[in-house]
């Protein structure tokens, strides 16, 4: 019984991310990206959680020192200049490392696929942690329904947020790569900056 409930929770946690990834992946009508590269990006998205968490933990301590009393302003600083910057920067760097010089990166839309795959690797693992936190705190039977409700809520909120943010990142990232084919380094730099700044703003 407990095993079946755990399997259901796992499906609830991963299904929204997998569904959105497939939707974006099959939207590429020109040339589909190598499946191995997509799995690598999912893994890099998961890996990006570690530096992002460390960054956020250190930043949270610093914010508490500067703003000992919680306020709307401190929440604004935390959301825009800590969480959004840490998560989007870490996802971007992990994506950049394995895609920028990859031979498969030859169309602008590829950037969208790469960013979404990386971001959903992050989101899927984050979803698993949130859904199963109820099980860890309450036990399988007591934590099942809170876990399912958490998973359903995040399927309509957090996972689409990560996806939409990634689409913006990917659009500008793809344009940056396109600019290198046109031998326009200034334009490439501008789009790289936009692929970071715009997602950070939306996330914040």
């Amino acid at each position: 019984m407990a095993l079946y409930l755990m399997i259901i929770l796992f499906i609830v946690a991963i299904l929204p991310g997998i569904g959105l990834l497939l939707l974006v992946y099959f939207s590429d009508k020109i040339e589909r990206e190598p499946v191995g590269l997509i799995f690598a990006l999912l893994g890099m998205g998961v890996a990006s959680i570690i530096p992002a968490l460390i960054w956020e933990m250190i930043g949270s301590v610093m914010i508490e020192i500067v703003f000992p009393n919680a306020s709307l302003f401190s929440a604004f600083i935390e959301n825009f200049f800590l969480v959004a910057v840490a998560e989007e920067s870490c996802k971007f760097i992990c994506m950049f490392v394995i895609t920028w010089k990859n031979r498969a990166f030859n169309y602008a839309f590829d950037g969208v696929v790469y960013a979404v795959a990386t971001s959903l690797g992050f989101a899927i693992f984050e979803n698993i942690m949130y859904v199963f936190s109820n099980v860890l705190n309450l036990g399988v039977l007591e934590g099942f329904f809170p876990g399912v409700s958490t998973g359903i809520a995040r399927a309509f909120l957090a996972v689409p947020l990560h996806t939409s943010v990634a689409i913006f990142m990917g659009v500008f990232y793809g344009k940056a790569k396109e600019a290198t084919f046109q031998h326009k380094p200034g334009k490439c730099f501008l789009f790289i900056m936009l692929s970071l700044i715009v997602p950070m703003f939306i996330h914040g």
Side-chain angles (χ1 to χ4, degrees):
M1 176 68 173
L3 178 61
Y4 290 124
L5 294 179
M6 296 281 276
I7 292 171
I8 292 170
L9 284 174
F10 185 74
I11 292 170
V12 168
I14 70 167
L15 196 59
I18 298 296
L20 287 169
L21 176 59
L22 290 173
L23 180 65
V24 172
Y25 181 78
F26 286 109
S27 295
D28 188 349
K29 304 298 183 184
I30 300 173
E31 182 183 76
R32 301 247 164 84
E33 300 311 290
V35 174
L37 179 58
I38 299 301
F39 276 107
L41 288 165
L42 284 168
M44 290 298 277
V46 174
S48 71
I49 291 176
I50 298 170
L53 278 175
I54 295 170
W55 189 337
E56 288 173 20
M57 287 169 64
I58 295 170
S60 293
V61 172
M62 294 175 66
I63 288 173
E64 286 179 12
I65 292 170
V66 177
F67 303 102
N69 298 316
S71 65
L72 188 61
F73 183 71
S74 65
F76 170 81
I77 295 295
E78 184 172 7
N79 285 311
F80 275 87
F81 296 100
L82 177 58
V83 176
V85 172
E87 293 188 6
E88 299 310 321
S89 295
C90 291
K91 286 187 285 186
F92 179 87
I93 291 167
C94 286
M95 172 188 67
F96 184 89
V97 166
I98 64 171
T99 61
W100 186 250
K101 293 186 177 180
N102 194 299
R103 291 181 181 179
F105 194 1
N106 50 9
Y107 291 104
F109 190 78
D110 295 347
V112 175
V113 178
Y114 299 157
V116 168
T118 307
S119 192
L120 286 176
F122 186 105
I124 289 168
F125 190 78
E126 186 182 56
N127 240 26
I128 292 170
M129 290 194 297
Y130 273 104
V131 168
F132 280 90
S133 66
N134 294 284
V135 173
L136 294 173
N137 293 330
L138 304 171
V140 176
L141 295 177
E142 292 81 4
F144 176 74
F145 287 109
V148 169
S149 62
T150 297
I152 292 172
R154 290 181 60 81
F156 289 98
L157 298 170
V159 179
L161 167 68
H162 280 289
T163 306
S164 59
V165 165
I167 289 170
F168 280 95
M169 179 184 287
V171 166
F172 291 118
Y173 186 56
K175 286 183 176 294
K177 186 66 173 181
E178 192 175 57
T180 65
F181 298 142
Q182 300 167 349
H183 306 291
K184 296 180 178 178
K187 191 176 179 182
C188 174
F189 179 77
L190 172 64
F191 283 127
I192 287 289
M193 289 297 99
L194 287 172
S195 70
L196 280 164
I197 294 168
V198 173
M200 287 175 187
F201 179 77
I202 296 170
H203 192 147

PDB file of all heavy atoms in Angstrom, residues 5-24:
ATOM      1  N   LEU A   5       1.373   4.278  -2.909  1.00  0.00           N
ATOM      2  CA  LEU A   5       1.173   5.703  -2.612  1.00  0.00           C
ATOM      3  C   LEU A   5       2.414   6.515  -2.958  1.00  0.00           C
ATOM      4  O   LEU A   5       2.305   7.631  -3.486  1.00  0.00           O
ATOM      5  CB  LEU A   5       0.816   5.882  -1.132  1.00  0.00           C
ATOM      6  CG  LEU A   5      -0.521   5.294  -0.667  1.00  0.00           C
ATOM      7  CD1 LEU A   5      -0.717   5.532   0.822  1.00  0.00           C
ATOM      8  CD2 LEU A   5      -1.682   5.885  -1.452  1.00  0.00           C
ATOM      9  N   MET A   6       3.596   5.954  -2.682  1.00  0.00           N
ATOM     10  CA  MET A   6       4.854   6.630  -3.003  1.00  0.00           C
ATOM     11  C   MET A   6       5.005   6.791  -4.515  1.00  0.00           C
ATOM     12  O   MET A   6       5.462   7.826  -5.002  1.00  0.00           O
ATOM     13  CB  MET A   6       6.034   5.841  -2.436  1.00  0.00           C
ATOM     14  CG  MET A   6       6.075   5.738  -0.928  1.00  0.00           C
ATOM     15  SD  MET A   6       6.702   7.225  -0.128  1.00  0.00           S
ATOM     16  CE  MET A   6       8.459   6.924  -0.248  1.00  0.00           C
ATOM     17  N   ILE A   7       4.613   5.756  -5.250  1.00  0.00           N
ATOM     18  CA  ILE A   7       4.694   5.812  -6.717  1.00  0.00           C
ATOM     19  C   ILE A   7       3.772   6.896  -7.260  1.00  0.00           C
ATOM     20  O   ILE A   7       4.138   7.667  -8.152  1.00  0.00           O
ATOM     21  CB  ILE A   7       4.353   4.438  -7.338  1.00  0.00           C
ATOM     22  CG1 ILE A   7       5.453   3.421  -7.007  1.00  0.00           C
ATOM     23  CG2 ILE A   7       4.178   4.555  -8.852  1.00  0.00           C
ATOM     24  CD1 ILE A   7       5.112   1.998  -7.378  1.00  0.00           C
ATOM     25  N   ILE A   8       2.548   6.972  -6.694  1.00  0.00           N
ATOM     26  CA  ILE A   8       1.586   7.996  -7.120  1.00  0.00           C
ATOM     27  C   ILE A   8       2.147   9.394  -6.848  1.00  0.00           C
ATOM     28  O   ILE A   8       2.073  10.290  -7.703  1.00  0.00           O
ATOM     29  CB  ILE A   8       0.231   7.811  -6.421  1.00  0.00           C
ATOM     30  CG1 ILE A   8      -0.443   6.519  -6.909  1.00  0.00           C
ATOM     31  CG2 ILE A   8      -0.691   9.013  -6.676  1.00  0.00           C
ATOM     32  CD1 ILE A   8      -1.667   6.125  -6.106  1.00  0.00           C
ATOM     33  N   LEU A   9       2.733   9.578  -5.674  1.00  0.00           N
ATOM     34  CA  LEU A   9       3.328  10.870  -5.323  1.00  0.00           C
ATOM     35  C   LEU A   9       4.457  11.229  -6.282  1.00  0.00           C
ATOM     36  O   LEU A   9       4.582  12.388  -6.715  1.00  0.00           O
ATOM     37  CB  LEU A   9       3.854  10.846  -3.886  1.00  0.00           C
ATOM     38  CG  LEU A   9       2.817  10.934  -2.770  1.00  0.00           C
ATOM     39  CD1 LEU A   9       3.488  10.758  -1.413  1.00  0.00           C
ATOM     40  CD2 LEU A   9       2.080  12.270  -2.817  1.00  0.00           C
ATOM     41  N   PHE A  10       5.267  10.249  -6.633  1.00  0.00           N
ATOM     42  CA  PHE A  10       6.383  10.478  -7.547  1.00  0.00           C
ATOM     43  C   PHE A  10       5.868  10.913  -8.921  1.00  0.00           C
ATOM     44  O   PHE A  10       6.395  11.853  -9.523  1.00  0.00           O
ATOM     45  CB  PHE A  10       7.228   9.211  -7.673  1.00  0.00           C
ATOM     46  CG  PHE A  10       8.460   9.382  -8.506  1.00  0.00           C
ATOM     47  CD1 PHE A  10       9.554  10.089  -8.014  1.00  0.00           C
ATOM     48  CD2 PHE A  10       8.531   8.854  -9.787  1.00  0.00           C
ATOM     49  CE1 PHE A  10      10.695  10.267  -8.786  1.00  0.00           C
ATOM     50  CE2 PHE A  10       9.671   9.017 -10.561  1.00  0.00           C
ATOM     51  CZ  PHE A  10      10.762   9.722 -10.061  1.00  0.00           C
ATOM     52  N   ILE A  11       4.809  10.257  -9.378  1.00  0.00           N
ATOM     53  CA  ILE A  11       4.214  10.614 -10.677  1.00  0.00           C
ATOM     54  C   ILE A  11       3.637  12.026 -10.634  1.00  0.00           C
ATOM     55  O   ILE A  11       3.828  12.816 -11.561  1.00  0.00           O
ATOM     56  CB  ILE A  11       3.119   9.592 -11.071  1.00  0.00           C
ATOM     57  CG1 ILE A  11       3.755   8.232 -11.373  1.00  0.00           C
ATOM     58  CG2 ILE A  11       2.323  10.080 -12.276  1.00  0.00           C
ATOM     59  CD1 ILE A  11       2.765   7.101 -11.547  1.00  0.00           C
ATOM     60  N   VAL A  12       2.947  12.349  -9.534  1.00  0.00           N
ATOM     61  CA  VAL A  12       2.379  13.693  -9.372  1.00  0.00           C
ATOM     62  C   VAL A  12       3.492  14.746  -9.402  1.00  0.00           C
ATOM     63  O   VAL A  12       3.322  15.831  -9.980  1.00  0.00           O
ATOM     64  CB  VAL A  12       1.584  13.790  -8.050  1.00  0.00           C
ATOM     65  CG1 VAL A  12       1.248  15.242  -7.720  1.00  0.00           C
ATOM     66  CG2 VAL A  12       0.308  12.969  -8.135  1.00  0.00           C
ATOM     67  N   ALA A  13       4.638  14.397  -8.817  1.00  0.00           N
ATOM     68  CA  ALA A  13       5.747  15.351  -8.730  1.00  0.00           C
ATOM     69  C   ALA A  13       6.425  15.588 -10.077  1.00  0.00           C
ATOM     70  O   ALA A  13       6.803  16.711 -10.396  1.00  0.00           O
ATOM     71  CB  ALA A  13       6.770  14.866  -7.702  1.00  0.00           C
ATOM     72  N   ILE A  14       6.586  14.538 -10.883  1.00  0.00           N
ATOM     73  CA  ILE A  14       7.366  14.673 -12.118  1.00  0.00           C
ATOM     74  C   ILE A  14       6.531  14.925 -13.366  1.00  0.00           C
ATOM     75  O   ILE A  14       7.035  15.472 -14.349  1.00  0.00           O
ATOM     76  CB  ILE A  14       8.274  13.445 -12.353  1.00  0.00           C
ATOM     77  CG1 ILE A  14       7.448  12.195 -12.718  1.00  0.00           C
ATOM     78  CG2 ILE A  14       9.163  13.174 -11.156  1.00  0.00           C
ATOM     79  CD1 ILE A  14       8.277  11.049 -13.247  1.00  0.00           C
ATOM     80  N   LEU A  15       5.261  14.541 -13.343  1.00  0.00           N
ATOM     81  CA  LEU A  15       4.442  14.591 -14.554  1.00  0.00           C
ATOM     82  C   LEU A  15       4.305  15.991 -15.162  1.00  0.00           C
ATOM     83  O   LEU A  15       4.433  16.147 -16.387  1.00  0.00           O
ATOM     84  CB  LEU A  15       3.054  13.990 -14.278  1.00  0.00           C
ATOM     85  CG  LEU A  15       2.222  13.626 -15.513  1.00  0.00           C
ATOM     86  CD1 LEU A  15       2.958  12.615 -16.385  1.00  0.00           C
ATOM     87  CD2 LEU A  15       0.867  13.071 -15.087  1.00  0.00           C
ATOM     88  N   PRO A  16       4.038  17.042 -14.364  1.00  0.00           N
ATOM     89  CA  PRO A  16       3.902  18.378 -14.979  1.00  0.00           C
ATOM     90  C   PRO A  16       5.167  18.808 -15.730  1.00  0.00           C
ATOM     91  O   PRO A  16       5.079  19.328 -16.846  1.00  0.00           O
ATOM     92  CB  PRO A  16       3.642  19.295 -13.775  1.00  0.00           C
ATOM     93  CG  PRO A  16       3.095  18.396 -12.718  1.00  0.00           C
ATOM     94  CD  PRO A  16       3.791  17.080 -12.905  1.00  0.00           C
ATOM     95  N   GLY A  17       6.321  18.570 -15.110  1.00  0.00           N
ATOM     96  CA  GLY A  17       7.582  18.957 -15.744  1.00  0.00           C
ATOM     97  C   GLY A  17       7.860  18.162 -17.006  1.00  0.00           C
ATOM     98  O   GLY A  17       8.270  18.725 -18.034  1.00  0.00           O
ATOM     99  N   ILE A  18       7.629  16.859 -16.953  1.00  0.00           N
ATOM    100  CA  ILE A  18       7.846  16.007 -18.123  1.00  0.00           C
ATOM    101  C   ILE A  18       6.912  16.413 -19.255  1.00  0.00           C
ATOM    102  O   ILE A  18       7.313  16.504 -20.421  1.00  0.00           O
ATOM    103  CB  ILE A  18       7.622  14.515 -17.772  1.00  0.00           C
ATOM    104  CG1 ILE A  18       8.642  14.056 -16.709  1.00  0.00           C
ATOM    105  CG2 ILE A  18       7.722  13.646 -19.018  1.00  0.00           C
ATOM    106  CD1 ILE A  18      10.077  14.100 -17.152  1.00  0.00           C
ATOM    107  N   GLY A  19       5.653  16.691 -18.917  1.00  0.00           N
ATOM    108  CA  GLY A  19       4.670  17.085 -19.926  1.00  0.00           C
ATOM    109  C   GLY A  19       5.055  18.381 -20.628  1.00  0.00           C
ATOM    110  O   GLY A  19       4.995  18.479 -21.860  1.00  0.00           O
ATOM    111  N   LEU A  20       5.493  19.369 -19.858  1.00  0.00           N
ATOM    112  CA  LEU A  20       5.882  20.649 -20.441  1.00  0.00           C
ATOM    113  C   LEU A  20       7.160  20.518 -21.266  1.00  0.00           C
ATOM    114  O   LEU A  20       7.302  21.158 -22.317  1.00  0.00           O
ATOM    115  CB  LEU A  20       6.064  21.693 -19.334  1.00  0.00           C
ATOM    116  CG  LEU A  20       4.764  22.202 -18.704  1.00  0.00           C
ATOM    117  CD1 LEU A  20       5.045  23.012 -17.452  1.00  0.00           C
ATOM    118  CD2 LEU A  20       3.975  23.047 -19.703  1.00  0.00           C
ATOM    119  N   LEU A  21       8.078  19.689 -20.800  1.00  0.00           N
ATOM    120  CA  LEU A  21       9.317  19.464 -21.553  1.00  0.00           C
ATOM    121  C   LEU A  21       9.021  18.839 -22.912  1.00  0.00           C
ATOM    122  O   LEU A  21       9.556  19.267 -23.943  1.00  0.00           O
ATOM    123  CB  LEU A  21      10.264  18.568 -20.759  1.00  0.00           C
ATOM    124  CG  LEU A  21      11.568  18.164 -21.469  1.00  0.00           C
ATOM    125  CD1 LEU A  21      12.376  19.400 -21.861  1.00  0.00           C
ATOM    126  CD2 LEU A  21      12.398  17.238 -20.588  1.00  0.00           C
ATOM    127  N   LEU A  22       8.163  17.830 -22.930  1.00  0.00           N
ATOM    128  CA  LEU A  22       7.797  17.177 -24.194  1.00  0.00           C
ATOM    129  C   LEU A  22       7.091  18.149 -25.133  1.00  0.00           C
ATOM    130  O   LEU A  22       7.318  18.130 -26.349  1.00  0.00           O
ATOM    131  CB  LEU A  22       6.909  15.957 -23.921  1.00  0.00           C
ATOM    132  CG  LEU A  22       7.600  14.769 -23.251  1.00  0.00           C
ATOM    133  CD1 LEU A  22       6.581  13.698 -22.894  1.00  0.00           C
ATOM    134  CD2 LEU A  22       8.697  14.186 -24.146  1.00  0.00           C
ATOM    135  N   LEU A  23       6.254  19.003 -24.561  1.00  0.00           N
ATOM    136  CA  LEU A  23       5.534  19.992 -25.372  1.00  0.00           C
ATOM    137  C   LEU A  23       6.509  20.915 -26.092  1.00  0.00           C
ATOM    138  O   LEU A  23       6.377  21.167 -27.296  1.00  0.00           O
ATOM    139  CB  LEU A  23       4.593  20.809 -24.474  1.00  0.00           C
ATOM    140  CG  LEU A  23       3.765  21.897 -25.172  1.00  0.00           C
ATOM    141  CD1 LEU A  23       2.784  21.281 -26.161  1.00  0.00           C
ATOM    142  CD2 LEU A  23       3.020  22.734 -24.135  1.00  0.00           C
ATOM    143  N   VAL A  24       7.498  21.402 -25.355  1.00  0.00           N
ATOM    144  CA  VAL A  24       8.496  22.306 -25.950  1.00  0.00           C
ATOM    145  C   VAL A  24       9.406  21.544 -26.907  1.00  0.00           C
ATOM    146  O   VAL A  24       9.720  22.022 -28.001  1.00  0.00           O
ATOM    147  CB  VAL A  24       9.324  23.007 -24.845  1.00  0.00           C
ATOM    148  CG1 VAL A  24      10.484  23.801 -25.447  1.00  0.00           C
ATOM    149  CG2 VAL A  24       8.432  23.917 -24.019  1.00  0.00           C
TER     150      VAL A  24
END
